[in-house]
């Protein structure tokens, strides 16, 4: 278990009124510098400043980014925030407070880190699990990467503020939390095959209350503050699980890899980038469909597939990855990285035989564990619709793009998922075809 940076999480009604106590107890005499954008300043930023001032804590700034066009976590914005902190720090310690959703939090999280100072996060939407995790998702040279930085010292989330967030952000949070249903399954697969271990405490934190927290999609869409807080608490716990684990395994599997690939292709909705949770929701449905196909085989069928599956040479592996990315406009550096990852993941010879033997010998256990407490695609898809998540069509996800994103997703991270199991059994392409046909049927029905 790693040491957590986050020392205090407060969520609930009127949580903002507790900020002065939290600031004083954790940071003593640091001077708060509030960061917001024009929308989140109105939603909560000005209240945060008033509450702190009312308690005799004088705030610096605020530093308010424009509300339109919507904020991007990129190197320019981080440089702006970072120099604002550096300027203020000339006269004494500064405590940045990020009042906003995931993007603003990522900007301030990284800017605070660059200035070697802790920061406090005041989320205005339950939209991502990044509030309590380390690392910031930032666009560098046109591509999203995770830049290293610490998690916040404290998170203070007011459920009424979050319930007033734009509907798409609420639905995106539902998608990012529901993703843990399929990423948890990927983790189970890796553990059952002896590739990774699962710490019971980290598992409980990220998976223990998942189903009950996801049980009220309609109430979330209707902005019921309790339903909103359940999603937020789930996202927060996942971030903490990542801190305890020291990596993103408790939060991310094939569905996030698919989402990263869609991001590389610049998926937009009404001219603006699709939200993280929207892409992840789509990835979650695709991962769920793939799992239903792969795990639908019985032990005898799995054995036949394993016997038939052919070994791939490193040369063929590299050729295949380069073909997947050919013509996409994705920079060579990213393609080279995908080749590197794919070669690291490739198992050949005795290692491959052992892998297949393990898959076959543990097939029944693997199926049982992987399906336990995991809703099927139909139920997930229904819940997403009730939560107000965008459909594949609304996200502009065409069959070729879906096909590409699943193919590419297997190449970008060295982490075992349902996509790798399909590949090991030689049914990856067949699985993608089945996923596409199911999605097409669904789109036709709408
Ligand atoms: Zn996520």
């Amino acid at each position: 278990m790693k040491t957590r940076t986050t020392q205090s999480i407060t969520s609930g009604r009127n949580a903002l009124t507790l900020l002065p106590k939290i600031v004083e107890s954790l940071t003593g005499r640091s001077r708060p510098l509030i960061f917001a954008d024009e929308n989140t300043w109105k939603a909560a930023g000005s209240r945060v400043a008033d509450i702190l001032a009312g308690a005799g804590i004088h705030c610096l700034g605020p530093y308010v980014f424009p509300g339109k066009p919507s904020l991007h976590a990129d190197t320019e914005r981080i440089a702006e925030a970072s120099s604002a902190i550096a300027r203020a720090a000339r006269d004494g310690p500064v405590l940045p407070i990020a009042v906003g959703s995931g993007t603003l939090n990522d900007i301030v999280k990284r800017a605070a880190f660059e200035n070697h100072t802790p920061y406090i996060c005041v989320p205005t939407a339950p939209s991502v699990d990044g509030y309590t995790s380390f690392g910031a998702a930032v666009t560098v040279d046109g591509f999203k990467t995770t830049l290293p930085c610490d998690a916040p010292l404290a998170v203070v989330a007011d459920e009424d503020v979050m319930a007033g967030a734009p509907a798409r952000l609420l639905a995106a949070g539902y998608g990012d939390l529901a993703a843990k249903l399929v990423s948890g399954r990927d983790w189970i697969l890796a553990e059952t095959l002896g590739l990774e271990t699962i710490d019971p405490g980290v598992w409980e934190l990220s998976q223990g209350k998942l189903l009950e927290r996801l049980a009220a999609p309609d109430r979330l869409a209707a902005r019921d503050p309790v339903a909103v807080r359940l999603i937020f608490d789930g996202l927060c716990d996942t971030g903490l699980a990542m801190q305890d684990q020291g990596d993103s395994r408790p939060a991310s599997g094939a569905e996030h890899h698919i989402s990263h690939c869609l991001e590389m292709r610049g998926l937009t909705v009404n001219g603006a980038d699709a939200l993280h949770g929207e892409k992840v929701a789509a990835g979650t449905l695709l991962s769920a469909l793939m799992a239903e196909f792969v795990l639908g085989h019985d032990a005898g069928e799995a054995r036949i597939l394993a016997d038939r599956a052919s070994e791939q040479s490193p040369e063929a592996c590299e050729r295949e990855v380069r073909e997947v990315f050919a013509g996409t406009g994705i920079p060579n550096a990213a393609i080279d990285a995908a080749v590197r990852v794919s070669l690291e993941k490739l198992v050949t010879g005795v290692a491959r035989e052992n892998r297949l033997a393990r898959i076959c010998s543990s097939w029944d256990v693997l199926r049982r564990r992987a399906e336990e407490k995991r809703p099927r695609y139909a139920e997930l898809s229904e819940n997403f619709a009730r939560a107000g998540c965008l459909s594949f069509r609304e996200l502009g996800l065409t069959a070729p793009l879906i096909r590409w994103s699943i193919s590419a997703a297997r190449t970008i991270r060295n982490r075992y998922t349902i996509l790798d199991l399909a590949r090991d059994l030689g049914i990856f392409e067949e699985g993608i075809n089945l996923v596409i046909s199911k999605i097409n049927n669904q789109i036709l029905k709408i």
Side-chain angles (χ1 to χ4, degrees):
M1 292 278 261
K2 311 276 177 189
T3 314
R4 281 187 196 170
T5 310
T6 307
Q7 292 177 20
S8 142
I9 296 180
T10 310
S11 68
R13 277 235 140 105
N14 299 318
L16 295 184
T17 57
L18 301 172
L19 250 173
K21 263 198 193 138
I22 293 165
V23 167
E24 271 172 359
S25 69
L26 292 179
T27 70
R29 297 179 62 81
S30 284
R31 299 162 310 147
L33 169 57
I34 297 173
F35 286 89
D37 66 30
E38 286 167 345
N39 303 318
T40 62
W41 176 255
K42 267 189 234 150
S46 63
R47 236 175 94 209
V48 167
D50 290 346
I51 289 168
L52 289 170
I57 301 174
H58 173 66
C59 287
L60 305 167
Y63 196 96
V64 181
F65 289 102
K68 272 193 182 155
S70 48
L71 200 58
H72 272 265
D74 54 29
T75 37
E76 292 77 23
R77 292 305 198 190
I78 289 170
E80 273 180 53
S82 189
S83 22
I85 297 171
R87 273 196 307 275
R90 285 185 205 136
D91 303 320
V94 177
L95 176 69
I97 300 183
V99 182
S101 61
T103 305
L104 192 114
N105 182 53
D106 278 336
I107 293 170
V108 178
K109 192 194 280 195
R110 174 68 190 182
F113 177 78
E114 289 178 359
N115 284 278
H116 312 287
T117 177
Y119 84 103
I120 288 181
C121 168
V122 177
T124 52
S127 49
V128 283
D129 57 28
Y131 294 123
T132 45
S133 68
F134 52 83
V138 177
T139 307
V140 181
D141 298 330
F143 277 89
K144 258 298 160 61
T145 37
T146 303
L147 293 183
C149 54
D150 293 330
L153 184 65
V155 177
V156 184
D158 190 301
E159 66 185 35
D160 291 313
V161 170
M162 292 192 296
R168 271 180 64 192
L169 287 175
L170 297 179
Y174 191 87
D176 206 18
L177 187 60
K180 284 38 175 176
L181 293 167
V182 291
S183 65
R185 166 159 49 219
D186 286 340
W187 202 4
I188 286 172
L189 297 180
E191 191 202 40
T192 311
L193 298 181
L195 304 170
E196 288 184 48
T197 54
I198 296 180
D199 178 283
V202 174
W203 178 262
E204 181 56 30
L205 192 55
S206 60
Q207 295 278 325
K209 296 180 187 159
L210 206 42
L211 286 176
E212 58 185 269
R213 284 169 166 166
L214 289 164
D218 321 74
R219 296 218 309 273
L220 175 74
R223 302 178 178 285
D224 173 335
V226 176
V228 168
R229 201 173 100 197
L230 281 175
I231 297 298
F232 177 76
D233 288 347
L235 292 167
C236 255
D237 280 349
T238 314
L240 294 178
M242 283 191 265
Q243 287 192 47
D244 292 349
Q245 172 81 6
D247 63 37
S248 63
R249 187 42 134 161
S252 155
E255 77 300 325
H256 270 74
H257 304 165
I258 291 171
S259 156
H260 297 322
C261 291
L262 292 174
E263 199 153 284
M264 287 187 199
R265 299 295 294 274
L267 194 70
T268 55
V269 176
N270 302 329
D273 286 348
L275 300 170
H276 170 74
E278 292 174 336
K279 287 171 281 199
V280 168
T284 299
L285 292 177
L286 298 175
S287 174
L289 271 176
M290 185 62 99
E292 275 179 36
F293 165 66
V294 176
L295 300 169
H297 294 85
D298 65 26
E301 291 165 335
R303 160 66 62 195
I304 293 170
L305 292 172
D307 288 344
R308 272 196 215 140
S310 56
E311 182 168 331
Q312 192 177 39
S313 68
E315 296 73 26
C317 172
E318 171 160 1
R319 209 165 38 241
E320 184 190 330
V321 176
R322 295 201 182 279
E323 272 167 22
V324 166
F325 283 88
T328 57
I330 289 171
N332 284 336
I335 301 174
D336 291 344
V339 168
R340 230 174 12 253
V341 167
S342 300
L343 290 174
E344 276 166 24
K345 284 171 85 170
L346 183 68
V347 283
T348 53
V350 178
R352 178 176 168 274
E353 281 165 25
N354 290 342
R355 166 82 60 82
L356 289 172
R358 181 91 183 232
I359 291 173
C360 292
S361 65
S362 53
W363 187 257
D364 286 331
V365 177
L366 189 121
R367 274 177 93 187
R368 182 181 48 72
R369 289 190 68 204
E371 287 177 343
E372 209 171 36
K373 295 188 186 165
R374 316 273 134 194
R376 294 179 67 81
Y377 167 78
E379 191 186 335
L380 266 181
S381 162
E382 164 92 26
N383 284 347
F384 281 8
R386 285 162 59 196
C389 296
L390 299 187
S391 66
F392 286 104
R393 182 187 285 166
E394 287 166 319
L395 273 171
L397 283 176
T398 59
L401 187 54
I402 290 174
R403 177 179 294 283
W404 178 83
S405 69
I406 301 174
S407 300
R410 214 182 57 81
T411 72
I412 62 165
R413 294 285 187 279
N414 192 354
R415 179 172 285 175
Y416 199 84
T417 72
I418 189 68
L419 306 182
D420 297 299
L421 181 58
R423 182 55 188 251
D424 283 343
L425 290 172
I427 52 174
F428 188 48
E429 291 303 321
E430 191 186 343
I432 295 178
N433 289 338
L434 190 114
V435 168
I436 301 283
S437 75
K438 289 237 174 179
I439 302 285
N440 273 339
N441 287 340
Q442 195 208 31
I443 287 175
L444 287 175
K445 263 193 271 162
I446 292 171

